[in-house]
């Protein structure tokens, strides 16, 4: 029996991320090995989880991943952990379509209890009705406790305690508001710049939480059996040489995608911002990130761009990586910067416009699932539409999103997930898996 639970909320903005980070750090400081997870496709929260816990955070996405793969991942990463904490996404029951892919669906699949974070700033005894609904709406999950956030007065907290007691939901504590422990925002997600001292913010959040939350009660309420870990995937002895871009411009990477790539060969990392030469590699992987924030440096690394134009191996590129392979990227001020020119597409940040959602791409008989999240827009060159490629959203509606597939390149705005579909990815890239 080990504590394991999912942090959820009725809606976004209730404080899930701050409380998750504070719990990870507070429990990690007590000498326990804490394994973080993130429900959904987000890249930014897991980076902060990793800082807080000292363990890589793993995405668990019930829309992009098969149930078998999800269960295997969870078992593998929880087997050596003393405590496992999963941060939910949006509201507890918000999914791609109704509850599909929601935090509640994940909690039910993995049979882990839910801790609900309630923004109580403008709420008193009405919390009873809210908690009653969340406790009884979906009987396949267990509401193991509630944390009331943004509560400044003990008298206010007493009313909330009475509300929770009347519907039989354990109260784990409350948190007064502390503006200094908020994570700075960038785009729709979290600030990832080295300028922010995340350790200091997370330490302060952990101190704050430890003074108001009954951690031992929380751990007792969330004890659950832990299944034995499934065997790990076999690692290749190195048929291919695979080079992965990783720096401030390109860092949106699902850890399990890298685990799957290791089946194909040996992996090295390089920085398109600073590298003087491309690595000797059979496959280049250019993930997403924030290339639009580093355009002078990317465009100024002309030697690397020239080598990329002459590169004869296979290339896999997602979102920011696809933008880097295009003709130009135009920044928010309207200045155009020359990129690699390997794809007949240009992208622009003028004006920024959000594209967000799950995606499913059909190329021949191969289907890959993933997620799209960007503020740039694309400009197609005439005659570049590939009619053999279909991109659908989670409701199986056609989406106008560029995907390029050729003998040696697979690229698109999608962040692909192939952690459980390395066979399909290999087929699209023309890689013989032996």
């Amino acid at each position: 029996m080990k504590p394991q639970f999912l942090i959820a909320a009725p809606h976004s903005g209730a404080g899930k991320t701050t409380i998750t980070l504070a719990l990870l750090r507070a429990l990690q400081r007590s000498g326990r090995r804490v394994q973080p997870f993130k429900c959904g496709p987000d890249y930014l929260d897991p980076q902060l989880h990793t800082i807080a816990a000292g363990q890589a955070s793993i995405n668990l996405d019930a829309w992009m991943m098969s149930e078998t793969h999800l269960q295997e991942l969870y078992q593998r990463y929880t087997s050596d952990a003393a405590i496992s904490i999963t941060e939910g996404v949006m509201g507890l029951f918000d999914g791609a379509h109704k509850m599909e892919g929601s935090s509640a669906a994940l909690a039910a699949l993995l049979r882990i209890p839910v801790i609900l974070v309630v923004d109580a700033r403008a709420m008193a005894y009405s919390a009873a009705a809210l908690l009653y609904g969340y406790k009884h709406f979906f009987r396949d999950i267990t509401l193991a406790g509630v944390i009331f956030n943004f509560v400044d007065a003990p008298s206010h907290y007493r009313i909330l305690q009475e509300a929770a007691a009347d519907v039989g939901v354990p109260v784990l504590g409350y948190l007064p508001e502390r503006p200094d422990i908020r994570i700075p925002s960038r785009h729709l997600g979290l600030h990832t710049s080295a300028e922010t001292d995340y350790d200091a913010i997370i330490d302060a959040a952990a101190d704050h939480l430890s003074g108001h939350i009954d951690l031992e009660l929380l751990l007792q309420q969330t004890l659950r059996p832990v299944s034995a870990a499934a065997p790990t995937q076999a690692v290749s002895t190195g048929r291919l040489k695979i080079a992965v871009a990783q720096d401030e411009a390109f860092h949106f990477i699902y850890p399990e995608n890298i685990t799957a790539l290791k089946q194909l060969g040996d992996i090295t990392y390089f920085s398109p911002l600073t590298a003087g030469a491309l690595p000797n590699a059979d496959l280049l992987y250019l993930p997403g990130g924030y290339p639009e924030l580093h355009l002078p440096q990317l465009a100024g690394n002309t030697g690397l761009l020239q080598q990329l134009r002459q590169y004869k191996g296979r290339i896999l590129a997602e979102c920011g990586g696809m933008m880097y392979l295009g003709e130009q990227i135009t920044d928010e001020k309207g200045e155009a910067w020359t990129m690699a020119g390997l794809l007949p597409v240009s992208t622009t940040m003028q004006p920024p416009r959000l594209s967000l959602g799950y995606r499913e791409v059909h190329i021949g008989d191969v289907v890959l699932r993933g997620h799209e999240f960007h503020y740039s827009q694309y400009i197609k060159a005439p005659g570049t539409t590939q009619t053999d490629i279909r991109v659908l959203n989670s409701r199986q509606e056609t989406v106008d999103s560029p995907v390029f597939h050729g003998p040696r390149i697979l690229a698109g705005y999608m962040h692909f997930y192939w952690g459980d579909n390395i066979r399909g990815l290999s087929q699209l890239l023309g890689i013989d898996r032996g």
Side-chain angles (χ1 to χ4, degrees):
M1 301 283 282
K2 297 179 182 179
Q4 45 186 317
F5 53 91
L6 183 144
I7 298 289
H11 53 79
S12 295
K16 292 191 305 290
T17 298
T18 299
I19 287 176
T20 299
L21 294 175
L23 283 169
L24 289 169
R25 178 57 59 85
L27 294 169
Q28 184 259 356
R29 289 194 309 201
S30 71
R32 299 162 165 122
R33 188 178 189 275
V34 187
Q35 175 60 54
F37 298 93
K38 173 64 182 179
C39 176
D42 183 82
Y43 288 100
L44 300 168
D45 289 348
Q47 293 179 17
L48 297 176
H49 294 174
T50 301
I51 295 170
Q55 302 288 338
S57 182
I58 303 301
N59 291 84
L60 301 171
D61 191 292
W63 192 88
M64 294 195 305
M65 306 173 186
S66 68
E67 289 189 0
T68 300
H69 180 65
L70 271 173
Q71 291 167 328
E72 185 273 328
L73 276 184
Y74 191 73
Q75 290 170 10
R76 186 189 339 148
Y77 284 96
T78 56
S79 61
D80 293 332
I83 303 166
S84 298
I85 301 176
T86 303
E87 181 185 352
V89 60
M90 299 188 293
L92 176 58
F93 301 109
D94 297 330
H97 178 232
K98 294 187 176 180
M99 280 176 51
E100 183 184 6
S102 67
S103 302
L106 182 69
L109 175 66
L110 299 178
R111 298 181 181 178
I112 54 177
V114 172
I115 302 298
L116 195 69
V117 175
V118 173
D119 179 350
R121 275 176 289 200
M123 184 181 297
Y125 190 71
S126 292
L130 183 147
L131 292 174
Y132 182 88
Y134 275 79
K135 181 179 179 180
H136 295 285
F137 176 73
F138 183 46
R139 294 303 183 106
D140 289 347
I141 61 172
T142 299
L143 184 56
V146 60
I147 295 172
F148 291 108
N149 203 11
F150 309 120
V151 178
D152 289 322
S155 58
H156 181 195
Y157 179 52
R158 285 194 294 272
I159 297 172
L160 297 169
Q161 284 180 299
E162 292 169 349
D166 286 352
V167 294
V169 177
V171 181
L172 304 174
Y174 75 100
L175 291 176
E177 187 164 11
R178 278 276 300 273
D180 60 308
I181 61 174
R182 291 178 181 171
I183 301 294
S185 295
R186 167 172 287 166
H187 297 335
L188 190 100
L190 297 171
H191 195 285
T192 58
S193 167
E195 299 170 1
T196 303
D197 188 349
Y198 290 117
D199 265 321
I201 294 174
I202 294 169
D203 269 333
D207 292 341
H208 183 52
L209 178 137
S210 297
H212 295 87
I213 302 299
D214 189 335
L215 291 177
E216 292 307 315
L217 176 60
L218 186 157
L219 299 180
Q220 285 296 319
Q221 287 291 119
T222 56
L223 285 170
R224 291 295 185 275
V226 177
S227 303
T232 57
Q233 297 171 318
V235 176
S236 167
T237 55
R239 290 189 308 277
L240 295 181
K241 296 177 182 178
I242 303 170
V244 179
Q246 188 174 51
D247 55 23
E248 283 291 305
F250 305 99
H251 56 266
F252 290 173
I253 300 173
Y254 293 124
E256 289 309 301
N257 278 354
I258 299 298
T259 299
L261 283 179
K262 289 179 180 177
Q263 296 180 57
L264 305 180
D266 295 326
I267 293 178
T268 58
Y269 294 89
F270 74 104
S271 168
L273 289 171
T274 61
L278 280 178
N280 178 20
D282 305 297
L283 170 64
L284 295 179
Y285 172 32
L286 302 169
Y290 292 120
E292 68 273 19
L293 302 180
H294 304 274
L295 292 175
Q297 196 170 352
L298 289 172
N301 195 349
T302 55
L304 191 72
L305 286 171
Q306 185 59 31
Q307 289 189 29
L308 189 55
R309 296 178 189 116
Q310 296 169 352
Y311 177 71
K312 301 302 181 185
R314 300 174 179 89
I315 303 176
L316 170 62
E318 304 167 320
C319 200
M322 181 207 73
M323 296 166 66
Y324 182 57
L325 291 183
E327 302 283 351
Q328 293 181 328
I329 301 176
T330 301
D331 62 24
E332 292 186 2
K333 297 178 180 179
E335 184 172 358
W337 301 85
T338 299
M339 295 291 120
L342 294 181
L343 296 176
V345 65
S346 291
T347 51
T348 178
M349 298 297 296
Q350 255 199 347
R353 186 174 65 195
L354 177 63
S355 295
L356 173 69
Y358 286 115
R359 300 290 182 259
E360 182 179 273
V361 61
H362 295 246
I363 305 175
D365 60 353
V366 176
V367 178
L368 286 180
R369 282 191 161 188
H371 187 258
E372 190 169 326
F373 169 46
H374 57 89
Y375 280 86
S376 65
Q377 303 174 53
Y378 77 99
I379 304 166
K380 290 186 292 189
T384 60
T385 302
Q386 293 185 243
T387 58
D388 60 332
I389 297 175
R390 290 190 301 134
V391 182
L392 309 175
N393 63 18
S394 61
R395 293 177 176 267
Q396 297 297 292
E397 301 163 334
T398 301
V399 177
D400 182 17
S401 181
V403 175
F404 301 92
H405 179 240
R408 65 183 190 91
I409 294 181
L410 173 63
Y413 256 134
M414 282 177 61
H415 298 276
F416 303 105
Y417 185 82
W418 62 82
D420 56 353
N421 193 13
I422 192 63
R423 183 181 299 276
L425 181 73
S426 300
Q427 184 177 332
L428 293 177
L429 291 171
I431 294 172
D432 181 6
R433 298 181 65 227

